[in-house]
Amino acid sequence: MDPSELLRTLETERAHGRDLFASAASLEELDAANTAVLGRKSRLGEVQRALGTLEEAQRRELGKAVNEVRAELAAALEARRNALTVDAESALLAADAIDMTLPGRRGPEGSVHPLTLVEDEIVGLFLRLGYRVAEGPEIEDDWHNFQALNIPEDLAAAMPITAAAQQVCAVEFARQSAAGRDEDFSSVVRTMEQMEPPIFIVAPGRVYRRETPDATHLAVFHQVEALVVDEGITFADLKGTLEAMAQGLFGEDRKIRFTPSYFPFVEPGAQIGVTCFRCGGVGCPTCGNGWIELLGAGMVHPKVLENCGYDSERYTGFAFGLGIERVAILKYEIPDMRLLIEGDVRFLERFGAA
């Protein structure tokens, strides 16, 4: 092949290759252009193979030109490849871009648990009556849990204070038997040991009992214990306080009843019930007989006053323990108390949680 013709072909391929690389719209098209311009079967490849037919001086001069063209086209190929790679990455980022001006998706909002709502309402009611809040430990020693409350040693709840017999949290603490309190009254005992009358307190907290859970009973539940001690306190004061509390919590349409009952730490004692929210007092699976047990109450036993260092001839008082779960099922018409501790989202949605 004539050297001048090879040079013309070389220049033609130079321009053709640059145009093909510049017009490639994707990396795939660029790879195809690379094969057409710089491949073994390309026109540039034919020129390179024809160098062997030329004289040495012509071969040296034309070979230099071929190398320059190939290097130029390789540089153009690489530049176009880099540009297409950047464009592809930019397109991917644009496709995955987030519009920060769009409003976000709000997560579900929770709410205060119904037991907390009820506890706050009960405590708030007594705060408005002039009471103060007292607190005590959940793990109690034998004195505050039983002895100070005039509970006989042979009573099943106190004999002995071990996990096996009582099925509550029993621990060895400071070389003394201790257990999860089964009455929040232990908190008010601690208060009486530290204060002089008059005393008007409420003590909310968790307590533990040997109970078989059912629609109206739990083994671990919550109480608000109330205590009043002063000169001249009578059963009439207890009755008036409980009536005011019932009206504040449930409204005037609910009836309450006093049933004589025995509690070692009060004398006389009574069990207070309210009419069932489901049947109105007729009787149903929730209540059994038309009444739901709400609390135990009574006049503080003189022995308890004396155990706390009070003169039982001078001072009298009343106390009652109100089950928060029982108030919750009455206020919110919950058919089964166990729903309060199961954590079912469908149930909690009723109170604003999701």
Side-chain angles (χ1 to χ4, degrees), residues 264-322:
F265 34 84
V266 293
E267 178 61 36
Q271 196 73 252
I272 313 303
V274 294
T275 49
C276 176
F277 64 86
R278 301 198 72 180
C279 64
V282 177
C284 69
T286 298
C287 63
N289 61 358
W291 296 90
I292 292 181
E293 176 188 332
L294 184 62
L295 58 91
M299 301 299 293
V300 179
H301 197 288
K303 183 64 175 178
V304 175
L305 295 173
E306 293 169 1
N307 287 339
C308 296
Y310 290 178
D311 183 354
S312 60
E313 296 294 329
R314 178 182 178 185
Y315 296 111
T316 55
F318 64 78
F320 57 85
L322 178 63

Side-chain angles (χ1 to χ4, degrees), residues 221-232:
F221 57 99
H222 301 78
Q223 279 188 336
V224 174
E225 197 79 30
L227 171 72
V228 171
V229 178
D230 200 357
E231 297 181 15

Side-chain angles (χ1 to χ4, degrees), residues 47 56 64 68 91 111 136 161 199 219 275 288-289:
V47 171
E56 184 177 352
K64 181 179 179 181
E68 289 176 355
S111 69
I161 310 174
I199 294 177
T275 49
N289 61 358

Side-chain angles (χ1 to χ4, degrees), residues 182-219:
D182 68 343
E183 293 281 354
D184 203 15
F185 202 87
S186 61
S187 298
V188 302
V189 169
R190 289 181 175 274
T191 301
M192 285 192 289
E193 290 177 335
Q194 300 169 6
M195 296 179 57
E196 291 293 328
I199 294 177
F200 293 80
I201 60 171
V202 287
R206 186 184 292 110
V207 297
Y208 306 84
R209 293 278 181 86
R210 184 175 180 176
E211 294 274 11
T212 300
D214 57 29
T216 57
H217 295 84
L218 294 175

Side-chain angles (χ1 to χ4, degrees), residues 20-41:
L20 278 181
F21 293 158
S23 63
S26 65
L27 292 174
E28 290 77 13
E29 292 184 11
L30 186 62
D31 289 338
N34 179 29
T35 301
V37 174
L38 299 175
R40 292 182 67 254
K41 297 182 179 180

Side-chain angles (χ1 to χ4, degrees), residues 120-136:
D120 289 346
E121 183 176 358
I122 295 172
V123 172
L125 187 152
F126 281 98
L127 288 177
R128 292 191 295 273
L129 292 175
Y131 287 59
R132 58 181 292 267
V133 177
E135 295 181 344

Side-chain angles (χ1 to χ4, degrees), residues 140 142 145-146 151 155-170 178-183 207-211 219:
E140 272 292 9
D142 184 72
N145 212 18
F146 299 107
I151 297 177
L155 195 65
M159 189 185 144
I161 310 174
T162 64
Q166 188 153 335
Q167 296 181 357
V168 296
C169 299
R181 61 190 179 192
D182 68 343
E183 293 281 354
V207 297
Y208 306 84
R209 293 278 181 86
R210 184 175 180 176
E211 294 274 11

